[in-house]
């Protein structure tokens, strides 16, 4: 009996809250739906070279597999990815949590695995960093994907 009463009170409070918050709930729902149909993708290929980029003769540059790539914003790590056997990393973000202009301005990619892991004659200290750039949107069905790529990596020595 007490339990049923509590449930009833809870439902009443919930209904009242929904009625009061209706305009906000609708706006949130709109944002939620566009957010659900959108995705931010940060993708790139890491190469096993002094600067992590493809050399002048691209096909001749080996890739950097199993490298930990972090997305850092204002110095904190917000996401990460490990490069696959083809040196490709891919980070997917929810557009409801990240604004593209702010990503481009405040975030960068940092490679935490030393270059010496892919080639012993490359530096074992320092880390590769790259800023981000927007390359456009891809529509896959209803899904609107915002494509972001590294501008180009560079080695920062401590
Ligand atoms: C790129 O390849 C061309 C033709 O094979 C060669 O002449 C050139 O020296 C190479 N450049 C570099 C940076 O390896
Ligand atoms: C390793 O790096 C050195 C220095 O950049 C380069 O000369 C050599 O070709 C690289 N080795 C491989 C297997 O890529
Ligand atoms: C996809 O999203 C971008 C950025 O939010 C927007 O400018 C573009 O119009 C969208 N494309 C479609 C087809 O909805």
């Amino acid at each position: 009996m007490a339990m049923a009463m509590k449930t009833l009170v809870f439902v009443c409070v919930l209904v009242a809250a929904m009625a009061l918050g209706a305009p906000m709930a609708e706006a949130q729902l709109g944002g939620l739906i566009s957010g659900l149909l959108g995705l931010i993708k940060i993708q790139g290929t890491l190469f096993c070279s002094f600067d992590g980029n493809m050399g002048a003769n691209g096909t001749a540059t080996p890739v950097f597999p199993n490298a930990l790539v972090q997305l850092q914003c204002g110095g904190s790590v917000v996401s990460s990815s490990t490069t696959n056997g083809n040196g490709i990393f891919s980070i997917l973000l929810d557009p409801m949590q990240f604004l593209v202009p702010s990503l481009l301005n405040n975030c960068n990619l940092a490679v935490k695995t030393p270059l010496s892991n892919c080639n012993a004659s490359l530096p074992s200290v320092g880390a590769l960093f790259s800023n981000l750039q927007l390359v456009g949107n891809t529509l896959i069905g209803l899904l609107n994907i915002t494509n972001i790529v590294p501008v180009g990596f560079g080695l920062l020595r401590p």
Side-chain angles (χ1 to χ4, degrees):
M1 184 62 194
M3 192 73 158
M5 195 64 186
K6 267 185 197 162
T7 307
L8 188 65
V9 168
F10 176 72
V11 168
C12 286
V13 167
L14 199 67
V15 167
M18 278 168 76
L20 286 173
M24 197 171 142
E26 257 167 48
Q28 279 176 341
L29 194 65
L32 185 66
I33 288 170
S34 66
L36 285 176
L37 298 177
L39 204 58
I40 298 170
K41 186 169 81 174
I42 303 176
Q43 190 173 297
T45 305
L46 200 60
F47 289 89
C48 184
S49 62
F50 189 77
D51 60 4
N53 298 313
M54 188 163 59
N57 291 323
T59 49
T61 316
V63 296
F64 188 173
N66 302 315
L68 177 64
V69 180
Q70 291 180 340
L71 175 67
Q72 299 186 344
C73 301
S76 22
V77 179
V78 297
S79 189
S80 65
S81 169
T82 303
T83 58
N84 68 9
N86 296 319
I88 297 171
F89 61 87
S90 184
I91 295 172
L92 298 177
L93 300 173
D94 182 348
M96 295 196 60
Q97 288 181 312
F98 295 90
L99 295 173
V100 172
S102 139
L103 264 177
L104 299 176
N105 288 329
N106 306 323
C107 307
N108 59 33
L109 295 170
V111 179
K112 302 309 281 185
T113 309
L115 272 169
S116 54
N117 272 34
C118 70
N119 178 340
S121 31
L122 292 175
S124 57
V125 291
L128 297 169
F129 281 93
S130 175
N131 287 328
L132 300 170
Q133 67 180 341
L134 180 67
V135 287
N137 290 76
T138 316
L139 211 57
I140 299 178
L142 288 173
L143 192 63
N144 186 347
I145 301 174
T146 302
N147 296 297
I148 293 177
V149 298
V151 171
F153 286 95
L155 183 68
L156 279 191
R157 288 170 176 277

